[in-house]
Amino acid sequence: MNIDELKNTWNEDIVEETPEISIEQSNKLNLPLEKIRKNMRVEFWWMIGIFVFAFLVCAVCRPFKLQLYITVLIASMLLVTVFFFSKFFKLYNEISNPVPKTYDSLKDLVMQLNLNKQYYLSYYISFAPFLVCEILIVLEFIPWPKPLSELKIAVILISTVTVGLFLLYIMGRFWYQRYYGRYIQYIEDLLEELKR
């Protein structure tokens, strides 16, 4: 095969173009993305309020040892929250840009949204060690009418952690579905519609 034949073969290949998103579909996409952005902003400000309140409560805790433990615990929770919210902020910036113009860019957006779902659930589950620490602090510093036996402490700790983990997971899934999941599902449906 000589060069001319190779050029002709190359030119004859049909390059499949990525379907573009129509203006109507783009308008359909704007609403769920705006809802997701709004919910992310609201959640961010709620977190700031919660941490400010938590540190104010720490300021009035006594004795000093209890205050120190709670402050360190809340500061650790703040570090975990900052890490996850930095991931969420990247998504927020990405969906704040103009609406995707092609099928592939919309597919990439859906992938990013689903990745952040995993971050979101991981965020809630990451509070498990903090739950354990909170229970230990409560068991240590609350004055009991009579001292608790080791068996009672173990039962309280294990049952509270088990129930707490389950509730954290359920709460994370519910919160995500209510504030983000239904809008992501709408975007995924739009992606399926474009695929056809």
Side-chain angles (χ1 to χ4, degrees), residues 44-128:
F44 173 76
W45 289 112
W46 267 103
M47 280 298 143
I48 287 178
I50 288 170
F51 278 106
V52 166
F53 177 75
F55 281 115
L56 289 174
V57 168
C58 287
V60 298
C61 284
R62 295 292 176 260
F64 175 75
K65 195 174 179 183
L66 174 63
Q67 182 183 28
L68 178 66
Y69 289 167
I70 292 176
T71 304
V72 168
L73 185 65
I74 292 174
S76 301
M77 292 168 81
L78 180 63
L79 287 175
V80 169
T81 302
V82 166
F83 169 77
F84 280 103
F85 269 77
S86 69
K87 301 290 184 194
F88 301 148
F89 187 70
K90 285 180 187 175
L91 175 67
Y92 180 83
N93 281 338
E94 190 169 311
I95 64 176
S96 294
N97 293 334
V99 176
K101 302 278 188 246
T102 63
Y103 173 80
D104 288 339
S105 59
L106 183 60
K107 192 174 175 182
D108 185 50
L109 175 67
V110 168
M111 186 185 75
Q112 290 294 327
L113 291 168
N114 285 325
L115 177 64
N116 271 279
K117 176 183 181 181
Q118 300 309 315
Y119 283 139
Y120 203 84
L121 294 176
S122 298
Y123 172 67
Y124 276 92
I125 297 300
S126 70
F127 278 87

Side-chain angles (χ1 to χ4, degrees), residues 9-35:
T9 306
W10 181 266
N11 289 333
E12 288 174 3
D13 284 344
I14 299 172
V15 178
E16 194 174 305
E17 289 188 28
T18 304
E20 290 200 16
I21 297 174
S22 69
I23 295 173
E24 179 185 316
Q25 291 165 331
S26 180
N27 290 337
K28 283 183 185 178
L29 187 59
N30 271 335
L31 180 65
L33 287 177
E34 184 53 42
K35 292 283 190 182

Side-chain angles (χ1 to χ4, degrees), residues 1-12:
M1 190 182 259
N2 64 24
I3 295 288
D4 290 331
E5 288 177 4
L6 194 60
K7 283 182 184 177
N8 288 337
T9 306
W10 181 266
N11 289 333
E12 288 174 3

Side-chain angles (χ1 to χ4, degrees), residues 130-142:
F130 301 116
L131 178 66
V132 172
C133 291
E134 287 170 18
I135 295 164
L136 291 173
I137 290 171
V138 166
L139 289 173
E140 180 70 27
F141 286 99
I142 288 188

